[in-house]
Amino acid sequence: GRETRLRVVLRVRPLTCTETQRGDRRVVHSLSDGTVHVSAARHDAIFGFSAVFDAGASQEAVFEGSGMRQLVELAIDGFSCTVFAFGQTGSGKTYTLMGPLAQSDTPAASPGVLGLMQRSFACLLEQSQSRGSDLALSASYLEIYNEQVRDLLRPGPPCALPLRWSKTRGFYVENQLSVDFESLEAIADLLLQGSQRRRTSAHTLNRHSSRSHALLTIHVRSRTVSMHPALGTRGRAWRGRAGLFVACPSKQGTLCFVDLAGSERVKETGSSGELSVEANNINRSLLALGHCISLLAKSGGKRTHIPYRDSKLTRLLARSLGGSGITLMVACISPSSHCLSETLSTLHYASRARRVTTRP
Ligand code: ADP
Ligand code: MG
């Protein structure tokens, strides 16, 4: 119940080929102490975060340095944990969370480029073995597309699911599918299937731009097996002696990965028609999220009205942002001069989020 700040880390991706060929200048420089320096013609600013990963940082370095491993452990301990990636379209959000997996035209990803998700799954399954406790794992995978919640694990054409509220559960999605899994292959397969159903479109900033917000939630139920005190160390043989030990459902945690659709200026991405309707919905929900974050940051832990109901996204993130969750934010930016104004807006957004607190 102690007040805990959101942990915010920053990742600066390398310049892309297009940016290099265009002769873009690098305007973001990371300094050693968790700060970045943005220097351009009329801008000179320094921003500080819990950690900064520059273009050279590997996927593994991001996993180890962001606190993601601890988040996995907290989920096993029964907390509601969320990691979300945000930033401009093409800034590296999907890459950071899942590596190049979502891109069907690239050959199978090598282990080195696997993202935070796959690394967390491995860690979760490893932990579940080493702790000796019996963990039951299941996954659900949703997207919010044009303000509709859709199930990415359900086969067939997408249909909208109702989002409801109850006193005990808070906001929740009705009839969402939750699939049990026991191995790394099984969860990797669910992630792949779901990601392929996700709505993406190509536009000028990113050939595989995600047009929806995606939320993958792992439910972790641990059934700690406690030994009857009178039995002493003979307990090791418990499997063969049903009834001597008490198995009690003890903790239920969640680990949620949120890949936000990127903010974009319609003019720059060459979006029109359906694409611009999508962009407006994306921008509107990101604005609602930004609004909630700034009110939460201002409230300094005091009770104030937060307009979570303004969008589906903020409803689903209510617990992670202002409730009992533990949250890690990965802000993603491009170092290019061409993206300066979006980069500055992501950096301001991220700095504000550092003042948000929850009570896990
Ligand atoms: P977003 O999800 O923010 O729209 P993506 O993750 O799809 O952006 O990244 C855009 C492009 O940049 C992709 O081709 C991706 O492979 C590449 N990219 C992003 N981050 C990195 C990185 N850290 N290292 C190498 N390539 C990256
Ligand atoms: Mg993406």
Side-chain angles (χ1 to χ4, degrees), residues 4 24 64 74 98 138 155 181 202 222 235 268 291 300 308 325 350 359:
T4 307
D24 291 7
E64 297 297 344
L74 287 162
M98 351 190 178
S138 63
F181 65 91
S222 69
E268 220 160 84
H291 189 208
Y308 293 118
R359 287 180 181 276

Side-chain angles (χ1 to χ4, degrees), residues 139-142 149 151 154 161-162 169 172-179 215 217 219 316:
S140 55
Y141 199 4
L142 302 169
V149 181
D151 200 323
R154 200 177 287 275
L161 297 178
R169 297 175 66 182
Y172 67 96
V173 177
E174 201 169 70
N175 296 331
Q176 70 173 330
L177 217 58
S178 184
V179 181
L215 293 90
T217 308
H219 306 269
L316 284 177

